[in-house]
Amino acid sequence: MTATILVVEDELAIQELIALNLKKAGHLVLCAETAEQAVKMSNSVLPDLVLLDWMLPDMSGLEFARKLRREERTKDIPIIMLTARTQESDKISGLDAGADDYITKPFSPRELLARIKAVLRRRLPEMSDEVIEIGGLKLDPVTHRVYAQANDNNIKPEKLLLGPTEFRLLHFLMTYAERVHSRTQLLNRIWGDHVFIEDRTVDVHIRRLRKSLESVGKEHLVQTVRGTGYRFSVEKSEESVE
Amino acid sequence: MTATILVVEDELAIQELIALNLKKAGHLVLCAETAEQAVKMSNSVLPDLVLLDWMLPDMSGLEFARKLRREERTKDIPIIMLTARTQESDKISGLDAGADDYITKPFSPRELLARIKAVLRRRLPEMSDEVIEIGGLKLDPVTHRVYAQANDNNIKPEKLLLGPTEFRLLHFLMTYAERVHSRTQLLNRIWGDHVFIEDRTVDVHIRRLRKSLESVGKEHLVQTVRGTGYRFSVEKSEESVE
DNA sequence: ATAATGCGTTACATATTTATGACGGTATGA
DNA sequence: TCATACCGTCATAAATATGTAACGCATTAT
């Protein structure tokens, strides 16, 4: 549940307060007072979510939201609007601009965190800390552990040891199970978007992940789709008969 | 859960009503009509939680809340704000200066109690005075002592000597056993939010904690999760099956 | 069939992250 | 006031994770 959150708010008292609460919840917080700052900031570090004040000195929050939505790199970032008003019309146009949710001031930190969690779960499921269980594998983001249910049904689940990258990789693949991801997609989502890394590196990490899975006989879950990429799938791919 | 609650409310009828309900729920209640009174009161008896009316005759609730947050002794006290529904919400500039929650009047006693309970549990779960016992370790918040049950079953439990920080660290980790915490999270929750302390310092305290645990052969309970943080866990993080 | 492409696998140098012991400063208490 | 306990930081060692290149096999295209 640790996300990078960009807070765009001109009232410093509020900004600080929000930042405080977000940090305490374990998020990484970036702050900006103006849309201009926010743009710069999001250019260097791509946030996972943007908390956006409705009224900003230089550009309206609405406008900034549109800008985010227009650009390829940022168009998928969830946005939560902060507004002091309660008028229905604001709600409409805020959501229109592509905001995922909006909160009217004043709001409690609890409400804020709840909304953030909800939005993240909706837009970036791999960031929510829910346990994922597929194909006899159980991955728990909170305890950071992966268990494999023994194939020969019965008996204790075995614990799986993974390096940091392999853990994220598996988490991502399991979150979007059955879907094929190109190496580039995996690099962007798991390594980050600014990195310059060889596509082939993904192969190696897939290899390492598989090796760990082999120790519990689950290597068939990570499948290669030739010419396309990789996939986590419960169904066996090709080789049927043995 | 018995807590000392300071109620700051100038309308006596409401104050009394609240006090009545809180007492009935087993809390110890302090009442103040003005911020000035409230300050005096909190100087003599440190409350566990403050119920604060938004509008006060001498000082705004907002200001009082800030004052509480500023001072070392009171900065961690949870605050719940009371606001009248009739007040224009956009006059309330932003979050309640660090309020943990807020309730709009009129509210039901049941709602009030529920929020109080939630805030207390959320804000200081590791402050509840319950003895925690996991993995052969027994930590008693009241006596501020930690005992280790000897591994080679039966024989007297050994007492464990810990510094203040190590005690809080262990208390926190045991409270949220099995969960992984990043260094930043640990700093925020155990040291406090405003602190400017190196992440690496956590390592050192973990080291000191482990050293103490070694003396009773329990050091395996505090585990490193590379790239993420630390965890208190009963399960060994090493290999599982052979 | 042969070439071209894609993938799996391994080895390895490098980078990153943790562990640890030492040090100076501060608070605490006798 | 002196002694002790604690704390935060640093330097260095140790551990382990990471990205690449290289090579060989498998699959696909020509």
Side-chain angles (χ1 to χ4, degrees):
Chain A
M1 207 242 306
T2 280
T4 303
I5 300 179
L6 173 58
V7 179
V8 192
E9 163 69 62
D10 56 319
E11 274 187 70
L12 284 183
I14 300 183
Q15 183 195 99
E16 216 165 293
L17 210 48
I18 294 177
L20 196 80
N21 279 286
L22 294 184
K23 279 179 194 158
K24 195 152 37 178
H27 299 291
L28 213 158
V29 184
L30 310 172
C31 288
E33 290 173 54
T34 65
E36 193 193 355
Q37 273 183 35
V39 170
K40 276 187 196 158
M41 212 154 251
S42 58
N43 278 339
S44 61
V45 184
L46 196 67
D48 297 311
L49 181 146
V50 175
L51 275 182
L52 186 53
D53 190 18
W54 176 261
M55 294 298 288
L56 290 175
D58 52 346
M59 192 196 302
S60 91
L62 199 73
E63 214 172 316
F64 179 57
R66 289 216 182 89
K67 183 174 168 54
L68 284 179
R69 285 284 180 263
R70 263 199 309 273
E71 286 173 33
E72 180 61 27
R73 210 175 75 98
T74 58
K75 75 176 166 42
D76 287 324
I77 300 177
I79 299 174
I80 296 180
M81 286 283 211
L82 306 174
T83 163
R85 299 185 210 156
T86 54
Q87 277 103 13
E88 195 65 18
S89 57
D90 290 350
K91 176 176 180 174
I92 306 289
S93 50
L95 291 176
D96 244 4
D100 289 76
D101 199 351
Y102 82 107
I103 306 183
T104 56
K105 304 178 195 172
F107 48 83
S108 68
R110 190 160 57 113
E111 183 183 0
L112 178 64
L113 291 176
R115 302 259 186 140
I116 286 176
K117 203 168 174 182
V119 166
L120 284 180
R121 190 162 45 227
R122 195 165 58 240
R123 294 287 290 254
L124 302 166
E126 77 270 23
M127 288 213 125
S128 88
D129 42 18
E130 282 166 43
V131 173
I132 307 177
E133 198 162 2
I134 312 173
L137 272 191
K138 185 162 113 182
L139 183 148
D140 186 341
V142 171
T143 65
H144 219 267
R145 281 193 161 122
V146 182
Y147 298 97
Q149 289 151 25
N151 277 333
D152 38 57
N153 41 8
N154 76 1
I155 334 188
K156 74 246 164 203
E158 289 183 77
K159 202 176 310 177
L160 210 48
L161 295 181
L162 299 174
T165 302
E166 283 72 54
F167 184 88
R168 289 201 304 270
L169 181 55
L170 179 61
H171 190 182
F172 182 83
L173 290 176
M174 286 180 75
T175 300
Y176 302 100
E178 304 301 336
R179 210 174 301 180
V180 186
H181 310 274
S182 72
R183 291 170 176 71
T184 304
Q185 284 173 327
L186 291 173
L187 282 175
N188 284 334
R189 300 286 307 257
I190 298 173
W191 274 257
D193 63 334
H194 274 345
V195 290
F196 141 72
I197 291 181
E198 294 288 324
D199 269 17
R200 307 306 319 291
T201 296
V202 175
D203 297 25
V204 178
H205 283 278
I206 287 283
R207 163 66 182 141
R208 288 169 181 154
L209 174 55
R210 279 177 175 154
K211 198 178 271 181
S212 293
L213 290 173
E214 275 171 22
S215 70
V216 294
K218 295 291 185 186
E219 67 280 9
H220 59 277
L221 292 170
V222 174
Q223 303 170 357
T224 302
V225 180
R226 198 186 164 83
T228 310
Y230 296 97
R231 162 179 68 190
F232 184 100
S233 173
V234 176
E235 300 176 45
K236 311 227 166 171
S237 49
E238 289 294 306
E239 23 70 36
S240 40
V241 197
E242 284 114 43
Chain B
M1 180 184 289
T2 284
T4 304
I5 300 178
L6 173 59
V7 180
V8 192
E9 164 68 62
D10 56 319
E11 277 187 69
L12 284 184
I14 300 184
Q15 182 194 99
E16 224 164 285
L17 185 67
I18 295 176
L20 194 78
N21 278 286
L22 294 184
K23 280 177 191 161
K24 199 154 53 179
H27 298 291
L28 212 159
V29 184
L30 310 172
C31 288
E33 290 172 52
T34 65
E36 194 194 354
Q37 274 183 35
V39 170
K40 277 187 194 161
M41 212 156 253
S42 59
N43 279 339
S44 60
V45 185
L46 196 68
D48 297 312
L49 182 147
V50 175
L51 275 181
L52 186 54
D53 190 18
W54 175 259
M55 293 299 289
L56 292 175
D58 53 345
M59 193 195 300
S60 89
L62 192 74
E63 218 170 311
F64 179 57
R66 289 216 184 92
K67 184 174 168 54
L68 284 179
R69 285 283 180 265
R70 262 200 310 273
E71 286 173 33
E72 180 62 27
R73 210 175 68 97
T74 58
K75 76 175 168 40
D76 287 324
I77 300 176
I79 298 173
I80 296 180
M81 283 286 203
L82 306 173
T83 71
R85 178 151 303 179
T86 58
Q87 283 162 335
E88 305 285 333
S89 53
D90 44 48
K91 273 191 184 158
I92 305 175
S93 62
L95 301 180
D96 316 321
D100 288 74
D101 201 352
Y102 81 105
I103 307 182
T104 54
K105 307 178 198 173
F107 48 82
S108 70
R110 201 163 63 91
E111 184 184 1
L112 179 63
L113 290 176
R115 303 255 187 148
I116 287 177
K117 202 169 171 182
V119 166
L120 282 179
R121 195 173 35 231
R122 185 172 69 251
R123 184 78 184 225
L124 6 109
E126 68 272 24
M127 215 194 89
S128 88
D129 285 345
E130 286 164 46
V131 173
I132 308 176
E133 198 162 1
I134 313 173
L137 272 191
K138 187 161 112 183
L139 182 147
D140 186 342
V142 176
T143 66
H144 224 260
R145 284 203 172 110
V146 182
Y147 299 95
Q149 288 152 26
N151 277 332
D152 36 59
N153 42 350
N154 63 27
I155 317 182
K156 62 198 180 269
E158 291 181 75
K159 193 176 347 177
L160 208 47
L161 294 182
L162 298 175
T165 302
E166 282 72 52
F167 183 86
R168 289 202 307 272
L169 181 55
L170 180 60
H171 190 183
F172 182 83
L173 289 176
M174 286 181 75
T175 301
Y176 301 100
E178 302 300 331
R179 289 180 78 107
V180 185
H181 309 274
S182 71
R183 291 171 176 72
T184 303
Q185 283 174 326
L186 291 173
L187 280 176
N188 285 335
R189 298 291 304 261
I190 298 173
W191 274 258
D193 336 64
H194 61 304
V195 291
F196 74 112
I197 290 183
E198 294 288 323
D199 269 17
R200 291 281 135 224
T201 297
V202 175
D203 297 26
V204 178
H205 283 277
I206 286 283
R207 163 68 181 138
R208 287 167 181 159
L209 174 56
R210 277 177 175 154
K211 199 176 267 181
S212 294
L213 290 173
E214 273 171 23
S215 69
V216 294
K218 295 290 186 187
E219 68 279 8
H220 59 276
L221 292 171
V222 175
Q223 303 171 356
T224 302
V225 180
R226 198 162 234 273
T228 307
Y230 296 99
R231 157 179 73 193
F232 183 100
S233 173
V234 176
E235 298 180 51
K236 313 234 163 153
S237 79
E238 309 261 316
E239 285 303 317
S240 40
V241 193
E242 287 108 40

